Amino acid sequence: MIVANERDPYSGTIRDAQSPEDDMTEPDPEWLRRLWRGLRAWYSRHARDLPWRRGGDPYAVWISEIMLQQTTVVAVVPYFERFLARFPTVEALAAADESDVLRLWEGLGYYSRARNLHRAAQAVVAEHGGRFPADVAELQRLPGIGRYTAGAIASFAFDLPAPIVEANTLRVYCRLTGYAGDPKSAEGRRALWRFAESVVPSREPGRINQALMELGATLCAPVSPDCPACPVKSCCRAFADGTQADIPRVAPRPRPTRLVEAAIAVRKCGRVLLRRRGPGEWWTGLWDFPRVAVESPPLPREAVADGVASRIEGSLHDETGIHAALGEPLGEFAHSVTRYRIRLLCYAAEHRGGRLKRGVELRWVDPDELPTLPLSKPGRRIAEMVGGRRRPAKP
């Protein structure tokens, strides 16, 4: 049992039994020195050679931090290298068409990140002469840059003592202090940010922040952390208590909502119809094949029942203004968007008349043009089916 205001010998913090938020306050100076010493020595030997860590360019740091949101390092590296090759400077990114930015981003998901990158680059050029501000508050005024990203740019690129809290450091901070509360609650967020502020040194703050993130990304994993290899295990309350498997507290995931949809590749004189996703929709700004909800019963795998086909054709007309006759199945596959698990049935269709609906961005394109357009990830798979290069196995 922890007594209120008892000095904790592991984390060096004042632990108040009445307020879990206070578990992360007042780090002991000696504890901090041990923490920094262990992190510096370990990071010097074990830091991964990642392309955005070379040179401390604020533009490269910014691009990498935005890409790394909700995405793994392994997935980001090739995207980062292609993006920097195409847009090597903030001026080049600012001058680009949004469709070119989205095409380079295709497959990373969360496409609002790419649109905000483009807008922020334009703001840096227009308002800051192409130079990134070092001030955290100024950075947060740029589109898509929140408190964490601003702190990362300030500390990694400008070596300023700015705190950072993201998925990896959140886990490290909770375990170091033995914080058993909900880190995603308002109380938990305040406690984490206060603790992050307290552990950033005035000397080499960027290096310490990088080491904390690296520790969380490698040894201090969500499941089965490698505590024996941890350079700061002597500073860790969870390791001392044997609670590292239970900290941080993980909220149960909501059950996915299952949907069945049909995507239709409508052909007219050798071209296919595409629809650009609008504001508030999944994949805003990207092109996709028209798709409609499929009511139960689900479509057979090899053929379309007459009644179901008629309903899909009617929904397609409502969506696009086009009359089309549903034809052969191209295939089907499953994909996920946020909390939705979608079974997508893909069909060819022949144009039979009608006019493109006003207020919806629709376009007839040659199949050879599809590789140059920014498509949603499912849309890209359908484009490959239309081109005859892929036919996914039926589940």
Side-chain angles (χ1 to χ4, degrees):
M1 176 178 179
I2 295 172
V3 180
N5 298 330
E6 177 186 7
R7 177 66 64 178
D8 186 325
Y10 295 97
S11 68
T13 62
I14 299 295
R15 298 169 65 87
D16 182 349
Q18 303 303 313
S19 176
E21 190 175 331
D22 288 341
D23 282 2
M24 298 187 185
T25 61
E26 301 182 35
D28 179 79
E30 174 56 30
W31 180 86
L32 282 173
R33 283 190 289 271
R34 285 192 291 122
L35 181 75
W36 295 335
R37 187 165 56 246
L39 288 171
R40 286 191 177 103
W42 175 80
Y43 188 71
S44 295
R45 295 191 300 271
H46 298 285
R48 291 170 294 177
D49 181 22
L50 301 176
W52 47 85
R53 289 178 175 169
R54 304 165 192 163
D57 175 18
Y59 175 69
V61 169
W62 169 57
I63 297 295
S64 70
E65 289 301 330
I66 298 299
M67 286 187 170
L68 286 164
Q69 295 169 9
Q70 308 290 330
T71 312
T72 65
V73 167
V74 171
V76 163
V77 168
Y79 278 92
F80 174 84
E81 292 175 336
R82 287 194 296 267
F83 203 91
L84 267 289
R86 176 66 178 82
F87 309 117
T89 64
V90 68
E91 290 85 0
L93 178 56
D97 290 334
E98 184 182 275
S99 61
D100 291 336
V101 178
L102 291 172
R103 181 66 183 91
L104 263 291
W105 197 270
E106 188 181 306
L108 271 179
Y110 300 96
Y111 291 92
S112 61
R113 295 182 296 171
R115 292 189 295 274
N116 282 330
L117 271 180
H118 192 222
R119 292 169 54 214
Q122 293 172 333
V124 169
V125 171
E127 301 169 17
H128 301 279
R131 296 176 64 87
F132 273 85
D135 181 73
V136 169
E138 281 295 316
L139 286 165
Q140 286 185 263
R141 293 189 180 96
L142 296 172
I145 295 185
R147 188 176 181 182
Y148 159 69
T149 305
I153 296 170
S155 64
F156 301 160
F158 300 106
D159 208 29
L160 296 175
I164 59 170
V165 178
E166 44 74 63
N168 291 313
T169 53
L170 178 150
R171 187 166 53 255
V172 172
Y173 297 156
C174 286
R175 287 173 174 164
L176 283 174
T177 60
Y179 183 70
D182 180 1
K184 300 297 181 68
S185 67
E187 179 184 68
R189 287 195 299 269
R190 286 193 300 269
L192 286 164
W193 277 103
R194 281 210 309 272
F195 184 74
E197 290 170 354
S198 70
V199 298
V200 179
S202 57
R203 182 173 72 88
E204 296 186 307
R207 190 172 185 80
I208 292 298
N209 278 340
Q210 289 274 26
L212 286 163
M213 289 179 62
E214 191 78 344
L215 186 68
T218 55
L219 300 184
C220 197
V223 178
S224 301
D226 189 2
C227 296
C230 178
V232 293
K233 59 180 177 289
S234 67
C235 300
C236 182
R237 176 81 242 185
F239 175 69
D241 292 345
T243 57
Q244 60 269 46
D246 302 318
I247 293 176
R249 183 193 299 178
V250 179
R253 289 189 175 185
R255 296 185 65 177
T257 300
R258 298 189 177 275
L259 302 175
V260 179
E261 295 184 337
I264 306 101
V266 183
R267 294 188 175 99
K268 177 186 177 184
C269 301
R271 296 178 297 167
V272 293
L273 183 65
L274 294 183
R275 175 181 177 273
R276 194 167 193 173
R277 292 275 177 166
E281 294 186 292
W282 298 327
W283 314 299
T284 300
L286 276 69
W287 293 95
D288 197 10
F289 290 84
R291 61 164 70 193
V292 299
V294 177
E295 303 295 336
S296 57
L299 289 169
R301 289 189 174 121
E302 297 299 333
V304 183
D306 289 341
V308 175
S310 297
R311 290 198 296 272
I312 291 175
E313 291 165 357
S315 297
L316 175 68
H317 178 260
D318 294 340
E319 180 82 11
T320 65
I322 291 299
H323 294 290
L326 212 61
E328 63 179 277
L330 298 174
E332 68 173 77
F333 58 89
H335 70 98
S336 297
V337 185
T338 62
R339 63 181 180 86
Y340 296 93
R341 181 70 172 166
I342 301 167
R343 178 187 172 198
L344 189 63
L345 305 127
C346 310
Y347 287 86
E350 289 298 327
H351 178 257
R352 291 289 186 262
R355 295 182 179 181
L356 297 181
K357 185 176 180 179
R358 293 180 181 273
V360 182
E361 196 167 354
L362 297 159
R363 177 179 171 186
W364 295 102
V365 301
D366 190 284
D368 291 340
E369 190 181 352
L370 292 172
T372 69
L373 296 173
L375 299 178
S376 69
K377 191 172 182 179
R380 181 63 61 196
R381 292 187 67 175
I382 301 166
E384 292 174 356
M385 294 181 207
V386 169
R389 292 190 295 275
R390 174 191 285 179
R391 181 176 293 275
K394 296 181 176 66

